[in-house]
Coordinates of all heavy atoms in Angstrom, one line a residue:
T29 N 95.7 106.2 127.7 CA 96.0 107.6 127.9 C 97.4 108.1 127.5 O 97.6 109.3 127.4 CB 95.8 107.9 129.4 OG1 96.7 107.1 130.2 CG2 94.3 107.6 129.9
E30 N 98.3 107.1 127.3 CA 99.7 107.5 126.9 C 99.9 107.7 125.4 O 100.8 108.3 125.0 CB 100.6 106.4 127.4 CG 100.7 106.2 128.9 CD 101.5 105.0 129.2 OE1 101.1 103.9 129.1 OE2 102.7 105.3 129.7
V31 N 99.0 107.1 124.6 CA 99.2 107.0 123.2 C 99.4 108.4 122.5 O 100.3 108.6 121.8 CB 98.1 106.1 122.5 CG1 98.3 106.2 121.0 CG2 98.2 104.7 123.0
Q32 N 98.4 109.2 122.7 CA 98.5 110.5 122.0 C 99.7 111.3 122.4 O 100.4 111.9 121.5 CB 97.2 111.3 122.3 CG 97.0 112.5 121.4 CD 95.7 113.2 121.6 OE1 95.3 113.5 122.8 NE2 95.1 113.5 120.5
S33 N 100.1 111.4 123.6 CA 101.2 112.2 124.0 C 102.5 111.6 123.4 O 103.4 112.3 123.0 CB 101.3 112.4 125.5 OG 101.5 111.1 126.1
K34 N 102.6 110.3 123.4 CA 103.8 109.6 122.8 C 103.9 109.8 121.3 O 105.0 109.9 120.8 CB 103.8 108.1 123.2 CG 104.1 107.9 124.7 CD 104.4 106.5 125.0 CE 104.7 106.4 126.5 NZ 105.9 107.1 127.0
M35 N 102.7 109.9 120.7 CA 102.7 110.2 119.2 C 103.2 111.6 119.0 O 104.0 111.9 118.1 CB 101.4 109.9 118.6 CG 101.0 108.5 118.5 SD 99.5 108.1 117.6 CE 100.2 107.4 116.2
R36 N 102.7 112.5 119.8 CA 103.1 113.9 119.6 C 104.6 114.1 119.9 O 105.3 114.9 119.3 CB 102.3 114.8 120.6 CG 100.9 115.0 120.1 CD 100.2 116.0 121.0 NE 98.8 116.2 120.5 CZ 97.8 116.4 121.2 NH1 97.9 116.4 122.5 NH2 96.6 116.5 120.7
A37 N 105.1 113.3 120.8 CA 106.5 113.4 121.2 C 107.4 112.6 120.2 O 108.6 112.5 120.4 CB 106.8 112.9 122.6
K38 N 106.8 112.0 119.2 CA 107.4 111.1 118.2 C 108.1 109.9 118.8 O 109.1 109.3 118.3 CB 108.4 111.9 117.4 CG 107.7 113.0 116.6 CD 108.7 113.7 115.6 CE 108.2 114.9 115.0 NZ 106.9 115.0 114.4
E39 N 107.6 109.5 120.0 CA 108.0 108.2 120.6 C 107.3 107.0 119.9 O 107.9 105.9 119.9 CB 107.8 108.2 122.1 CG 108.6 109.2 122.8 CD 108.2 109.2 124.3 OE1 108.1 108.1 124.9 OE2 108.1 110.3 124.9
I40 N 106.1 107.3 119.4 CA 105.4 106.3 118.6 C 105.4 106.9 117.2 O 105.0 108.0 117.0 CB 104.0 106.1 119.0 CG1 103.9 105.5 120.4 CG2 103.2 105.2 118.0 CD1 102.5 105.4 121.0
T41 N 106.0 106.2 116.2 CA 106.0 106.6 114.8 C 105.2 105.6 114.0 O 105.0 104.5 114.4 CB 107.4 106.8 114.3 OG1 108.1 105.5 114.4 CG2 108.2 107.9 115.1
T42 N 104.8 106.0 112.8 CA 104.0 105.2 112.0 C 104.4 105.2 110.5 O 105.1 106.1 110.0 CB 102.5 105.7 112.0 OG1 102.4 107.0 111.5 CG2 102.0 105.7 113.4
R43 N 103.9 104.2 109.8 CA 104.1 104.1 108.3 C 102.7 103.6 107.8 O 102.1 102.7 108.3 CB 105.2 103.1 108.0 CG 105.3 103.0 106.4 CD 106.4 102.0 106.0 NE 107.6 102.3 106.7 CZ 108.5 101.3 107.1 NH1 108.2 100.0 106.8 NH2 109.6 101.6 107.7
F44 N 102.2 104.3 106.8 CA 101.0 103.9 106.2 C 101.2 103.6 104.7 O 101.8 104.4 104.0 CB 100.0 105.1 106.3 CG 98.7 104.9 105.6 CD1 97.9 103.8 105.8 CD2 98.2 105.8 104.6 CE1 96.6 103.6 105.2 CE2 97.0 105.7 104.0 CZ 96.2 104.6 104.3
E45 N 100.8 102.4 104.3 CA 100.9 102.0 102.9 C 99.6 101.5 102.3 O 98.8 100.9 103.0 CB 102.0 100.8 102.8 CG 103.3 101.2 103.4 CD 104.1 100.0 103.7 OE1 103.9 99.3 104.8 OE2 105.0 99.6 102.9
T46 N 99.4 101.8 101.0 CA 98.2 101.3 100.4 C 98.6 100.2 99.3 O 99.7 100.4 98.7 CB 97.4 102.4 99.7 OG1 98.3 103.1 98.8 CG2 96.8 103.4 100.7
G47 N 97.8 99.2 99.2 CA 98.2 98.1 98.3 C 98.0 98.4 96.9 O 97.2 99.3 96.5
E48 N 98.8 97.8 96.1 CA 98.8 97.9 94.6 C 98.7 96.5 94.0 O 99.1 95.5 94.6 CB 100.1 98.6 94.1 CG 100.2 100.1 94.6 CD 101.4 100.7 94.1 OE1 102.2 100.1 93.4 OE2 101.6 101.9 94.5
G49 N 98.3 96.5 92.7 CA 98.3 95.2 92.1 C 97.3 94.2 92.8 O 96.2 94.6 93.0
E50 N 97.8 93.0 93.1 CA 96.9 92.0 93.7 C 96.6 92.4 95.2 O 95.6 91.9 95.8 CB 97.5 90.7 93.7 CG 98.8 90.5 94.5 CD 99.4 89.1 94.3 OE1 99.5 88.6 93.2 OE2 99.6 88.5 95.4
D51 N 97.3 93.4 95.7 CA 96.9 93.9 97.1 C 96.1 95.2 97.1 O 95.8 95.8 98.1 CB 98.2 94.2 97.9 CG 99.0 92.9 98.2 OD1 98.3 91.9 98.6 OD2 100.2 92.9 98.1
A52 N 95.6 95.6 95.9 CA 94.8 96.8 95.8 C 93.5 96.6 96.6 O 93.0 95.5 96.7 CB 94.4 97.0 94.3
G53 N 93.1 97.7 97.3 CA 92.0 97.6 98.2 C 92.4 97.2 99.6 O 91.5 97.1 100.5
R54 N 93.7 97.0 99.9 CA 94.1 96.8 101.2 C 95.1 97.9 101.6 O 95.6 98.6 100.8 CB 94.9 95.5 101.3 CG 94.0 94.3 101.1 CD 94.7 93.0 101.3 NE 93.8 91.9 101.1 CZ 93.9 90.7 101.6 NH1 94.9 90.5 102.5 NH2 93.1 89.8 101.3
M55 N 95.3 98.0 102.9 CA 96.2 99.0 103.5 C 96.9 98.4 104.6 O 96.5 97.4 105.2 CB 95.5 100.3 103.9 CG 94.4 100.1 104.9 SD 93.6 101.7 105.2 CE 92.1 101.1 105.9
R56 N 98.1 98.9 104.9 CA 98.9 98.4 106.0 C 99.4 99.6 106.8 O 100.0 100.6 106.3 CB 100.1 97.6 105.4 CG 100.9 96.9 106.5 CD 101.9 95.9 105.9 NE 102.8 96.5 105.0 CZ 103.6 95.9 104.1 NH1 103.5 94.5 104.1 NH2 104.4 96.5 103.3
L57 N 99.2 99.5 108.1 CA 99.7 100.5 109.1 C 100.7 99.8 110.0 O 100.5 98.7 110.5 CB 98.6 101.0 109.9 CG 97.5 101.8 109.2 CD1 96.2 101.1 109.4 CD2 97.5 103.2 109.8
T58 N 101.9 100.4 110.1 CA 102.9 99.9 111.0 C 103.2 101.0 112.0 O 103.4 102.1 111.7 CB 104.2 99.6 110.2 OG1 103.8 98.7 109.1 CG2 105.2 98.8 111.1
F59 N 103.2 100.6 113.3 CA 103.5 101.4 114.4 C 104.8 101.0 115.0 O 105.0 99.8 115.3 CB 102.4 101.4 115.4 CG 101.1 101.9 114.9 CD1 100.2 101.0 114.3 CD2 100.7 103.2 115.0 CE1 99.0 101.5 113.8 CE2 99.5 103.7 114.5 CZ 98.7 102.8 113.9
F60 N 105.7 101.9 115.4 CA 107.0 101.6 116.0 C 107.0 102.3 117.4 O 106.7 103.5 117.4 CB 108.1 102.2 115.2 CG 108.2 101.6 113.8 CD1 107.5 102.3 112.7 CD2 108.8 100.4 113.5 CE1 107.5 101.8 111.4 CE2 108.9 99.9 112.2 CZ 108.2 100.6 111.2
Y61 N 107.3 101.6 118.4 CA 107.5 102.2 119.8 C 108.5 101.4 120.5 O 108.4 100.2 120.7 CB 106.2 102.1 120.5 CG 106.3 102.5 122.0 CD1 106.6 103.8 122.3 CD2 106.1 101.6 123.0 CE1 106.8 104.2 123.6 CE2 106.3 102.0 124.3 CZ 106.6 103.3 124.6 OH 106.8 103.7 125.9
N62 N 109.6 102.1 120.9 CA 110.8 101.4 121.5 C 111.2 100.3 120.6 O 111.5 100.5 119.5 CB 110.4 101.0 122.9 CG 110.4 102.1 123.9 OD1 111.0 103.2 123.7 ND2 109.6 101.9 125.0
T63 N 111.2 99.1 121.1 CA 111.6 98.0 120.3 C 110.4 97.2 119.7 O 110.6 96.1 119.1 CB 112.5 97.0 121.1 OG1 111.7 96.4 122.2 CG2 113.7 97.7 121.6
Q64 N 109.2 97.7 119.9 CA 108.0 97.1 119.4 C 107.6 97.5 118.0 O 107.7 98.7 117.7 CB 106.8 97.3 120.3 CG 107.0 96.8 121.7 CD 107.1 95.3 121.7 OE1 106.2 94.6 121.1 NE2 108.1 94.7 122.4
K65 N 107.2 96.6 117.1 CA 106.7 97.0 115.8 C 105.3 96.2 115.7 O 105.3 95.0 115.9 CB 107.6 96.5 114.7 CG 107.0 96.8 113.3 CD 108.1 96.5 112.3 CE 108.0 95.1 111.8 NZ 108.9 94.9 110.6
V66 N 104.3 97.0 115.4 CA 102.9 96.4 115.3 C 102.5 96.7 113.9 O 102.4 97.9 113.5 CB 101.9 97.0 116.3 CG1 100.5 96.5 116.0 CG2 102.4 96.6 117.7
R67 N 102.1 95.7 113.1 CA 101.7 95.9 111.7 C 100.2 95.4 111.6 O 99.9 94.3 112.0 CB 102.5 95.1 110.7 CG 102.0 95.3 109.3 CD 103.0 94.6 108.3 NE 104.2 95.4 108.3 CZ 105.4 94.9 107.9 NH1 105.5 93.6 107.6 NH2 106.4 95.7 107.9
L68 N 99.4 96.3 111.1 CA 97.9 96.0 110.9 C 97.7 96.0 109.4 O 97.9 97.0 108.7 CB 97.1 97.1 111.6 CG 97.3 97.3 113.0 CD1 96.4 98.5 113.5 CD2 97.0 96.1 113.9
T69 N 97.2 94.8 108.9 CA 96.8 94.7 107.5 C 95.3 94.8 107.5 O 94.6 94.0 108.2 CB 97.3 93.4 106.9 OG1 98.8 93.4 107.1 CG2 97.0 93.3 105.4
C70 N 94.8 95.7 106.7 CA 93.4 96.0 106.7 C 92.7 95.9 105.3 O 93.4 96.2 104.3 CB 93.1 97.5 107.2 SG 94.0 97.8 108.8
S71 N 91.4 95.7 105.3 CA 90.7 95.7 104.1 C 90.3 97.1 103.7 O 90.6 98.0 104.5 CB 89.4 94.9 104.2 OG 88.6 95.5 105.2
E72 N 89.8 97.3 102.6 CA 89.4 98.7 102.1 C 88.5 99.4 103.1 O 88.6 100.6 103.2 CB 88.8 98.6 100.7 CG 88.7 99.9 100.0 CD 88.3 99.7 98.6 OE1 87.7 98.7 98.2 OE2 88.6 100.6 97.8
D73 N 87.6 98.7 103.7 CA 86.7 99.3 104.7 C 87.3 99.5 106.1 O 86.6 100.0 107.0 CB 85.4 98.5 104.8 CG 85.5 97.2 105.5 OD1 86.6 96.8 105.9 OD2 84.4 96.6 105.8
G74 N 88.6 99.2 106.3 CA 89.2 99.4 107.5 C 89.2 98.2 108.5 O 89.8 98.3 109.6
T75 N 88.6 97.1 108.1 CA 88.6 96.0 109.0 C 90.0 95.4 109.0 O 90.6 95.1 108.0 CB 87.6 94.9 108.5 OG1 86.3 95.5 108.4 CG2 87.6 93.7 109.3
V76 N 90.5 95.2 110.3 CA 91.8 94.6 110.4 C 91.7 93.1 110.1 O 91.0 92.4 110.7 CB 92.4 94.8 111.8 CG1 93.7 94.1 112.0 CG2 92.5 96.3 112.1

Side-chain angles (χ1 to χ4, degrees):
T29 60
E30 299 176 282
V31 171
Q32 191 173 46
S33 64
K34 290 193 180 294
M35 290 186 110
R36 286 186 179 141
K38 299 188 188 317
E39 293 177 43
I40 298 173
T41 58
T42 63
R43 181 182 307 146
F44 174 56
E45 303 164 278
T46 55
E48 297 178 0
E50 66 182 51
D51 290 320
R54 292 187 184 207
M55 58 185 157
R56 185 166 62 194
L57 292 121
T58 308
F59 297 88
F60 302 92
Y61 173 66
N62 287 335
T63 63
Q64 297 296 311
K65 178 171 90 171
V66 173
R67 177 175 290 154
L68 306 174
T69 303
C70 308
S71 64
E72 190 169 27
D73 72 352
T75 302
V76 175

